Amino acid sequence: MEIDLMILLPLLAILYTVYYYLTKDNKYFHDKPIPSMAVQPLFGSSGRLMMKKTSFHEWIIEIYNKYPLVKVFGMHDFTAPVFVVRDPELIKRIGVKDFDYFVNHRPIFGTSEVTNSHSLFNKTLIALNDQKWRDMRATLSPAFTGSKMRQMFELVGECCENMVKFYKDEVRTKGGSQEHEMKNVFTRFANDVIATCAFGIKVDSLRNAENDFYENGRKMMMFQRPIVMAKVFGFRLAPKLMAWLGLDLFDREQNKYFTEIIKDTVRTRDAHGIVRHDMVNLLMQARKGALKNQKETKEEEEVKGFATVEESEVGRVQVGKGMEMSELEMVAQCLIFFLAGFDTVSTCLTFLAYELTVNREVQDKLYEEIRQTKESLGGGPLTYDAVQKMPYMDMVVSEGLRMWSPAPSTDRLCVRDYVVDDGENLKFTIDKGTAVFFPIAGLHHDPKYYPNPNKFDPERFSPENRDKINPSTYLPFGIGPRNCIGSRFALMEVKAIIYYMLMEFTFEKTSNTQIPLQLGKGFAGMRSEKGVHVELRPRKH
């Protein structure tokens, strides 16, 4: 009996400790003057999502609509309390005006200060905190100006032309038009763009489908794998333990592969004085403090797309001689460009292809603008300036990003106590260390801001209508100083490939085209349930 008690008492103590840890914040919102969602064991308020009852996109819309009359409500993400901000003015205040209270993203996927120092993800711009983030943002910001995009556009254009040639050759060899799953098509395209622009190497993921660069990238993006999901749970519930175990979100094999590419490229360029207009070159300049902010021309200011986000003063501040950026930090920045380009851009293009396929009148109108643009170029290759001067293209892409924002939400971490006071009847404190959610998909599908939100209607973003849109209700690239640094690059890439593809093909429905589109359920990313199947039918010029 004594032996049993000696075993039982420590076991009970351990169970109680675990229970306390998992439930200690369950009543966090009870003394706040805002409603809060019910809490379930372990999953918090996100049980439906974690049990794959709904998609992330639809879940964000669902919780956004749960409390239609409030500005803020509470929920629990796993065990952590989170404030969900619905009110555009409060989003602007938190994201822009009072940014210093919310300078960081919440620690997730091994990005907290306690994670292991060898983690590549921990060194990416998105994961850095406080002054380290400010320095890195200021160092990288000059690499993403309009003038730098113009220099890099030729590399993007080569990838576009290569892709179109591949599918035209396929028509000739196989005879007639072919059906394709568009996520696969655009993932390979985005892979090749990032390979050439961010890593300085040329790959052809269409003709060489299993090339090492694509395969390593694909493995890195397989967030649905059980081992990756286990790491996600681990980083969320026990980050110190994960750091002690020396674990990273990404496998060592992929980390090593991409690290070696950058190291070899930098060594070769330094040794032979090679200059190439790509991200590696810009990062090498940044390391030497030779990358400076340039004031954009009046023309560049006028032709930016609607979705392009402005760089804040944080990014415009010069940091003297530039950061002392290690090789590993350089690799990390290339890695985050890769992750964003590989998945976010291909996701945007996949859903845009779907909308163009099922909305033929939009596709035809966009083709007419493309045809006129090509005539204005005298039949020559597309240029960055020509892309920027296509108003209907910008309207179509902006609406695609509204309906199917690749990031359904974004977050901020409160770094010191912040008092919310709307001057009416709402006053409470967001405590230091608590996370804030901006429900992007919810805002984008709110009929108060976008009438008939489930209709794909590019006219919302026409020159006559765009002034009616509250900027704080349109957040495909986030808001404030921590917005997406690569919005120009992403939009340039999306518009360029749509131009080249629609110039040569029409997008046609097939018996496998799922209408209406159903989203894949679960936490990981925006994806369709059964793929987006489209026939690429050659145009008769």
Side-chain angles (χ1 to χ4, degrees), residues 27-35 83 427-431:
K27 296 181 180 180
Y28 176 82
F29 293 105
H30 287 195
D31 63 347
K32 306 283 184 187
I34 59 174
F83 291 89
K427 187 173 182 179
F428 63 91
T429 299
I430 298 177
D431 300 300

Side-chain angles (χ1 to χ4, degrees), residues 154-173:
E154 184 178 339
L155 299 175
V156 176
E158 287 175 5
C159 292
C160 293
E161 291 174 346
N162 185 56
M163 180 170 166
V164 168
K165 185 177 185 304
F166 172 82
Y167 287 112
K168 287 175 72 175
D169 290 344
E170 191 177 62
V171 168
R172 280 194 291 270
T173 56

Side-chain angles (χ1 to χ4, degrees), residues 231-245:
K231 287 181 182 179
V232 170
F233 274 87
F235 282 125
R236 297 292 290 280
L237 297 173
K240 291 183 180 179
L241 175 62
M242 299 295 280
W244 181 75
L245 293 172

Side-chain angles (χ1 to χ4, degrees), residues 19-86:
Y19 174 80
Y20 173 79
Y21 178 77
L22 294 176
T23 62
K24 63 185 175 65
D25 290 321
N26 280 10
K27 296 181 180 180
Y28 176 82
F29 293 105
H30 287 195
D31 63 347
K32 306 283 184 187
I34 59 174
S36 62
M37 296 174 64
V39 184
Q40 298 171 329
L42 191 61
F43 292 137
S45 308
S46 55
R48 271 176 50 76
L49 178 63
M50 291 303 160
M51 298 303 291
K52 297 188 176 182
K53 305 280 188 183
T54 186
S55 70
F56 189 27
H57 174 89
E58 290 161 330
W59 182 72
I60 291 293
I61 296 173
E62 181 183 304
I63 65 169
Y64 176 89
N65 291 331
K66 191 174 180 65
Y67 304 104
L69 301 179
V70 305
K71 295 181 178 180
V72 188
F73 66 89
M75 61 161 278
H76 282 74
D77 186 36
F78 290 86
T79 60
V82 175
F83 291 89
V84 183
V85 184
R86 298 178 78 261

Side-chain angles (χ1 to χ4, degrees), residues 428-455:
F428 63 91
T429 299
I430 298 177
D431 300 300
K432 177 183 176 180
T434 310
V436 173
F437 266 11
F438 298 154
I440 296 171
L443 292 161
H444 286 189
H445 286 79
D446 190 333
K448 181 165 60 175
Y449 309 124
Y450 302 98
N452 197 5
N454 294 324
K455 176 180 170 58

